[in-house]
Amino acid sequence: MNATNPFIYGNPLTDPQRFIGRRTEVEQIYSRLRNPEFESSSLVGERRMGKTSVLNFISHPDIVRRSGLDPAACHFVYVDLQMLGPDTTPTRLYQHLLRRIGTKIEDAELKKMLDGINQSETIDNYDLSDLFDIIDQREQYIVLLLDEFENIGANANFGPEFYYGLRSLAIHHNLALVTSSQSDLVELSRSDAVRSSPFFNIFATIHLQPFSTKDVGELLQTYLKSTGVPFTQTEVQYLWQIAGGFPFLLQMASAMLFRAHQAGHEEAQRIALVHSEFPAQAQPHLRNYWEFTTGEERIILAVLALLHTQKTAQGQSWTAPQLEGWYRRTSNVVPGLARRGLLNRIHDQYLLFSTTFADSIIDGLTADPSEPMNAEEWQQKIADGLAPLPEGAKYHAQQWLMNTRTAQGDLFIKWLADPQTVEAAMELIASSGAPFHTIGELPPLATAAKAETTNVASLAGVELSKSTGPSTRGQISLDDAEAAETAGADIELIFTPAPDPTRLLQLCQWLEQIAKAEIEEMAGSSEGGTSVRILLKRPIALAEMLLELPEVEEVTERPVQDEGSKGRRFIKKRKDTRGRTPSALQRWRVVLRPPSPSATGEPAQETGQTASAVPDQPSVNAEEDIAGEQQGPPSP
């Protein structure tokens, strides 16, 4: 396949033919521009939600004309306010704006006046009012597209007089503003005087949310139509699972999947490749979503992420009253998170918009502090924070906090300080699969299930149960033990019979999320199964944990063979990171049970399809691309 990859995620869209969805938002902006008052709008949405693409779309001459305005009289002037430096002044900004306006207007007298004002060392509000008097007389209209408006709000040079002047121009002249920002405009300024300004009253706020399932289906259908590359139903549902409706993340994952199609891989290999590449590239953006939340919002995100680590709860959604059992302020928090798109709302239930986002949160919760903690100060901080708790609950919470290394200690103190929910919160932490770094012995309530206190050299050293054959496990040799102590333990798991793509993906997600293993390689196996090589760096009873999975029948050790017995390699993710190509210290044969019927009582689906945790997923099958509404069945 030589088709050009149609998925772009580095730059905003400029071609209106590639613009998908946002019909309601675009119509809201244009309806305010068409009315006699020529009114302003404020686009608010997460980073990479497509705000700049919307600004580019509404300013395209074809779209202007189609929306009922005359491109010869209504001029859209785009300004990227990320260019503002700390020394930028209102005069410097206005000089730039006037030059941009001059490139749009054909009237010679207006151009001369614009040039004259630009020659001035200072530009005041009267100069601008005189200019717009002439613009009004010529029946010309200016729409300023002010992208990343938070950069003005954060600049101390832009005081109340700037906002009052701009508001006056927009009210009394043929000037409208369309801003974009990550937060509502009134929240952007650090100055109380600016926040109390009537400037913000002239805007209608339009929240840009993630794509619906229908929009996702339309995007995939439109972009793949001329390529001859079809995404299977399983792949489309996987894209929704990891990227949700965030346009940037969706385009990123789709571009990776398209490349895997072009390479000629099978479905399981394609999904495995995306699964190995996507989290690292998405991580900076997911981290930004977390950083741009309040303490209360972070607690409920942490609750949902911890629930996600439990196999029985994966893909499940929760009502606000249910979540209040873990955090009482849930009802005050979830509507805002849903409006921002960080939570998917299905009727009255909520879940994180992306499994990758859930993994990113868990990584943040279990990360070590960036700076060493002063033990006495930390102990005092815990004691002060947990003072409202009764003694029994306080003891368990204090012991867990004192013996757990986490960069989010303040978050946990705030969460665990509620007497009404502390026990449920501690139980959730203890039953989760989050790999918290514990120090020493913990009280029973906070003991991680199946965790071992041995060193890294004994990561794989547990006796196997439920094995039909004799165990050949023995001890790791002294040389291997020393290597494992410094570099981790390599284990090759041979899943037999070879799982279908959906099952293989679920097993890999379990290994990464619950066992916290690094997947190094996937390949076919001479034993007729699928070989998955992993790296373990933490002490866990992996064999016992595998045997608890309903999919696993038995686990037995196999003799280590040379690489020549391997089948076709799917992915090789890591090589020579410890000065050598990894070699397996252990090789385990993991026998899988036959697939069981689905939870709905219907037969399990064939390879190429998968059940979804989100109703009415978007679909694009191999024969024809189909877009699905989030409510109701898919339609062509």
Side-chain angles (χ1 to χ4, degrees):
M1 301 179 194
N2 297 318
T4 302
N5 196 322
F7 299 100
I8 300 173
Y9 56 93
N11 296 315
L13 296 176
T14 56
D15 182 0
Q17 299 298 321
R18 294 175 55 83
F19 188 82
I20 301 297
R22 310 305 192 197
R23 296 172 180 83
T24 299
E25 294 86 347
V26 169
E27 178 54 29
Q28 282 182 274
I29 294 171
Y30 268 112
S31 66
R32 290 178 63 80
L33 294 176
R34 286 193 299 263
N35 69 33
E37 288 76 20
F38 200 54
E39 293 180 297
S40 300
S41 302
S42 168
L43 271 178
V44 177
E46 293 296 314
R47 293 183 64 82
R48 300 291 193 166
M49 189 62 80
K51 300 185 294 294
T52 304
S53 295
V54 172
L55 297 181
N56 289 340
F57 180 76
I58 65 173
S59 61
H60 193 280
D62 292 344
I63 306 304
V64 174
R65 187 178 297 105
R66 188 190 308 166
S67 300
L69 299 177
D70 181 4
C74 189
H75 309 285
F76 288 74
V77 179
Y78 173 84
V79 181
D80 183 1
L81 295 175
Q82 291 184 99
M83 298 170 61
L84 256 69
D87 298 328
T88 303
T89 63
T91 292
R92 181 69 186 90
L93 175 61
Y94 278 132
Q95 288 172 339
H96 179 71
L97 287 171
L98 295 180
R99 277 197 295 273
R100 299 298 302 272
I101 293 173
T103 64
K104 301 284 185 178
I105 290 180
E106 301 295 335
D107 187 285
E109 184 179 350
L110 274 177
K111 281 182 173 290
K112 183 177 180 180
M113 190 173 185
L114 286 166
D115 291 339
I117 295 175
N118 258 333
Q119 300 301 320
S120 303
E121 294 185 1
T122 60
I123 300 175
D124 61 26
N125 292 327
Y126 290 108
D127 294 328
L128 296 170
S129 182
D130 292 342
L131 169 65
F132 274 92
D133 282 339
I134 304 300
I135 290 176
D136 296 345
Q137 292 172 12
R138 298 292 195 274
E139 295 186 345
Q140 299 290 295
Y141 295 82
I142 305 296
V143 182
L144 294 183
L145 307 175
L146 305 177
D147 203 2
E148 305 284 351
F149 195 83
E150 49 262 73
N151 289 282
I152 287 182
N155 192 314
N157 296 324
F158 291 77
E161 63 281 356
F162 169 80
Y163 294 94
Y164 280 107
L166 193 56
R167 178 180 185 273
S168 178
L169 292 173
I171 288 177
H172 300 296
H173 297 284
N174 294 346
L175 172 67
L177 313 174
V178 180
T179 65
S180 83
S181 58
Q182 196 170 352
S183 296
D184 290 351
L185 293 183
V186 72
E187 300 175 6
L188 298 181
S189 177
R190 302 174 183 175
S191 165
D192 291 337
V194 170
R195 282 196 294 268
S196 63
S197 166
F199 169 77
F200 306 104
N201 297 336
I202 67 175
F203 294 91
T205 300
I206 301 170
H207 288 277
L208 207 60
Q209 295 188 309
F211 282 161
S212 67
T213 53
K214 179 180 179 180
D215 294 330
V216 172
E218 182 183 351
L219 183 147
L220 297 177
Q221 176 186 13
T222 301
Y223 284 22
L224 292 172
K225 187 174 182 179
S226 61
T227 66
V229 175
F231 286 178
T232 68
Q233 181 71 15
T234 297
E235 290 171 335
V236 174
Q237 291 171 338
Y238 176 65
L239 291 175
W240 176 268
Q241 177 186 341
I242 65 173
F246 278 59
F248 174 80
L249 298 177
L250 178 66
Q251 294 252 30
M252 176 192 295
S254 298
M256 296 174 182
L257 182 59
F258 188 88
R259 289 198 297 269
H261 270 272
Q262 287 186 309
H265 294 304
E266 299 297 327
E267 183 183 72
Q269 299 168 286
R270 297 194 296 263
I271 291 178
L273 282 166
V274 177
H275 187 69
S276 67
E277 295 178 16
F278 178 75
Q281 291 201 35
Q283 178 62 20
H285 309 284
L286 300 174
R287 189 182 301 117
N288 176 265
Y289 301 150
W290 170 268
E291 294 294 336
F292 203 71
T293 53
T294 66
E296 291 183 344
E297 290 174 332
R298 291 183 184 182
I299 290 175
I300 200 62
L301 291 176
V303 168
L304 287 164
L306 290 169
L307 287 168
H308 171 75
T309 66
Q310 298 179 335
K311 185 174 180 61
T312 56
Q314 287 183 5
Q316 184 173 343
S317 54
W318 309 83
T319 65
Q322 286 175 321
L323 293 170
E324 284 174 349
W326 290 290
Y327 183 56
R328 282 197 298 157
R329 295 188 60 80
T330 295
S331 295
N332 298 333
V333 175
V334 291
L337 290 171
R339 184 173 64 247
R340 292 174 56 189
L342 299 183
L343 299 183
N344 281 342
R345 180 174 182 176
I346 307 169
H347 305 299
D348 62 342
Q349 297 183 325
Y350 301 90
L351 75 162
L352 294 171
F353 82 92
S354 158
T355 56
T356 312
F357 185 42
D359 296 340
S360 174
I361 294 172
I362 293 298
D363 289 343
L365 294 177
T366 58
D368 284 346
S370 57
E371 298 179 0
M373 295 183 295
N374 180 293
E376 292 183 2
E377 292 179 0
W378 177 233
Q379 189 170 8
Q380 187 60 51
K381 191 171 189 177
I382 293 173
D384 293 342
L386 302 183
L389 297 180
E391 288 305 317
K394 182 189 298 185
Y395 171 74
H396 286 294
Q398 283 180 328
Q399 289 299 307
W400 186 84
L401 286 165
M402 286 300 298
N403 290 280
T404 302
R405 294 178 58 81
T406 172
Q408 299 295 328
D410 291 341
L411 179 150
F412 283 106
I413 290 176
K414 183 175 181 179
W415 179 23
L416 298 177
D418 187 342
Q420 295 190 32
T421 59
V422 60
E423 291 187 8
M426 289 297 299
E427 289 286 358
L428 174 58
I429 293 170
S431 62
S432 74
F436 290 103
H437 298 179
T438 56
I439 307 168
E441 194 72 21
L442 292 178
L445 183 62
T447 300
K450 300 298 181 184
E452 304 243 321
T453 57
T454 55
N455 58 30
V456 180
S458 61
L459 285 170
V462 296
E463 288 299 323
L464 297 179
S465 58
K466 304 182 185 178
S467 174
T468 56
S471 174
T472 59
R473 260 192 109 56
Q475 296 294 320
I476 299 176
S477 71
L478 180 61
D479 292 341
D480 286 341
E482 291 176 353
E485 186 71 42
T486 58
D490 288 302
I491 298 176
E492 181 182 5
L493 303 176
I494 302 173
F495 292 105
T496 57
D500 63 39
T502 299
R503 210 175 195 195
L504 178 61
L505 174 62
Q506 292 170 342
L507 290 166
C508 290
Q509 288 177 330
W510 182 90
L511 287 167
E512 291 184 326
Q513 297 168 7
I514 307 303
K516 302 309 288 186
E518 295 181 20
I519 295 179
E520 299 174 322
E521 181 180 289
M522 292 185 193
S525 170
S526 59
E527 300 185 19
T530 297
S531 167
V532 178
R533 179 172 284 180
I534 63 173
L535 171 68
L536 288 176
K537 286 194 173 183
R538 298 193 64 245
I540 59 171
L542 181 61
E544 292 181 0
M545 293 170 68
L546 281 167
L547 287 168
E548 291 186 353
L549 295 178
E551 296 94 336
V552 175
E553 179 70 31
E554 66 178 26
V555 180
T556 55
E557 186 171 7
R558 308 292 290 170
V560 177
Q561 302 169 11
D562 60 27
E563 291 287 327
S565 64
K566 289 286 187 69
R568 183 181 180 187
R569 178 174 294 156
F570 295 175
I571 66 167
K572 188 167 184 64
K573 189 175 177 183
R574 183 172 66 82
K575 181 176 181 180
D576 205 31
T577 59
R578 293 164 288 162
R580 61 182 177 82
T581 299
S583 61
L585 297 178
Q586 303 280 350
R587 172 171 286 177
W588 299 354
R589 182 172 181 265
V590 183
V591 179
L592 302 176
R593 291 188 174 93
S596 59
S598 65
T600 60
E602 298 178 358
Q605 294 169 307
E606 298 294 330
T607 300
Q609 296 181 342
T610 184
S612 172
V614 181
D616 304 320
Q617 292 292 330
S619 59
V620 179
N621 61 30
E623 300 299 326
E624 181 179 4
D625 296 330
I626 298 177
E629 284 277 14
Q630 190 148 0
Q631 303 295 332
S635 58

